[in-house]
Amino acid sequence: MGIQINGKGLLIVLSGPSGAGKGTVCSALRQQAPELVYSVSATTRPPREGEVEGISYFFKTRKEFRRMIDQGELLEWARYVDNYYGTPRRFVEERLNEGKDVLLEIEVQGAKQVKECFPEAVFIFLLPPSMDELHARIKGRGTESEQVMTDRMQAAREELNQIHSYDYVVVNDEVARACHHIRSILVAEHHRRDRIFKEQPDWLEGI
Amino acid sequence: MGIQINGKGLLIVLSGPSGAGKGTVCSALRQQAPELVYSVSATTRPPREGEVEGISYFFKTRKEFRRMIDQGELLEWARYVDNYYGTPRRFVEERLNEGKDVLLEIEVQGAKQVKECFPEAVFIFLLPPSMDELHARIKGRGTESEQVMTDRMQAAREELNQIHSYDYVVVNDEVARACHHIRSILVAEHHRRDRIFKEQPDWLEGI
């Protein structure tokens, strides 16, 4: 009997504060790690030129999106300005059941929601190379009101405080390095004894 | 302030049942991962031609070895046939304090001893590609007595049962693959949030 240790796919949640470069790292991963499945979000915003249904987004009317929320079909969702964005549960679960690893690149608040229904997911917190970058982001162009600055500072603090519920911390000092670290985390997680034994408890019975 | 997340080195314990190929994987790692420090054992067996003190082994008299045991200078030790083998604690601790990762390739019984004084080490259990290989090893050339076979079977079962106290399981189906998995585990462990925060709790105070 050959020993196989990769069972069900892993759900990887890549999150972190605004300005950490989640989107950039995720785009680079798409190039370098085609073995990963990238979750497709649902949104109520209208498609832009070139965007493809089911690849860029699942485009939904507000009514459809509301129904998805009500029926628990979204792992997480949020409203930004006038539009809703969320992660359809079925797409993720189907890929995991096929044995694929699925990567979710989402905001910190969304990640918190995912942790409630997928505590076994791998949570990676991406940080910018220095705190100065976060500060620069918060200060913006210096034209904002004091209230805007205070609100942003508070939002950043709340995001950073969530780091304590993450499994891993990756610093985005260089995109290729961050990608390497994320891929290594994935490989390692597939070899964690407690994951392997949950999936294949009949392993050692051959002896 | 730049964010640095690598602090103290990690102690990695590579163990597993006899016949898993620990030595082969460790030799391959020496070639591929020169950033790792490989622990040097102490032994009472006489040096063979070409072996160098402090590189191949630390060669000790029985009296010296006994003294090391008595004074707690060994992380683990065992007797094989007429000779003693052990891992000097100081060598390991000095390299860890320098920020180096140290790899210990040892028997299952030794790994258990290390876990007692170094619970924060990373424990990797190496398995052969199939259970047949372990069986073949136990059966040997078929010339052994039934008692020898029964003893070996019992020893193998005891070794395999220790898998439950390991952090990771790696199957040695291909040496290069096993090395890649071990190196990925190391990278991942350096990014574990609970390790990072133990070492640098002042991290998020910049905001």
Side-chain angles (χ1 to χ4, degrees), chain A residues 133-146:
Chain A
E133 306 236 350
L134 278 187
H135 280 288
R137 185 114 185 163
I138 289 160
K139 274 168 50 187
R141 292 180 202 133
T143 54
E144 286 88 351
S145 71
E146 202 159 322

Side-chain angles (χ1 to χ4, degrees), chain B residues 42-76:
Chain B
T43 183
T44 59
R45 90 156 162 68
R48 292 180 192 146
E49 208 181 308
E51 288 186 336
V52 181
E53 163 72 16
I55 294 177
S56 318
Y57 284 99
F58 295 110
F59 295 101
K60 304 286 174 189
T61 63
R62 283 190 166 228
K63 200 176 157 188
E64 287 168 331
F65 202 95
R66 277 260 155 245
R67 193 196 52 74
M68 291 179 85
I69 295 173
D70 292 343
Q71 306 203 344
E73 292 179 16
L74 297 171
L75 285 181
E76 56 86 33

Side-chain angles (χ1 to χ4, degrees), chain A residues 1 3 5 127-132 135 163-164 166-169 171 181 187-188 191-193 203-204 206-207, chain B residues 1 3 5 127-131 135 160 163-164 166-169 171 181 187-188 191-193 203-204 206:
Chain A
M1 158 189 79
I3 296 175
I5 68 165
L127 279 174
S130 77
M131 285 299 171
D132 296 344
H135 280 288
I163 200 171
H164 295 282
Y166 282 68
D167 303 305
Y168 296 95
V169 176
V171 176
H181 294 156
V187 171
H191 290 84
R192 268 183 49 191
R193 194 249 319 145
W203 242 43
L204 298 177
I207 202 147
Chain B
M1 159 189 78
I3 296 174
I5 68 168
L127 280 173
S130 76
M131 284 299 171
H135 280 288
L160 284 171
I163 200 171
H164 295 283
Y166 282 68
D167 303 304
Y168 296 95
V169 176
V171 177
H181 293 158
V187 171
H191 290 84
R192 267 182 51 191
R193 195 249 318 145
W203 241 43
L204 298 177

Side-chain angles (χ1 to χ4, degrees), chain B residues 8-20:
Chain B
K8 214 181 157 192
L10 294 174
L11 179 61
I12 308 104
V13 176
L14 180 65
S15 191
S18 311

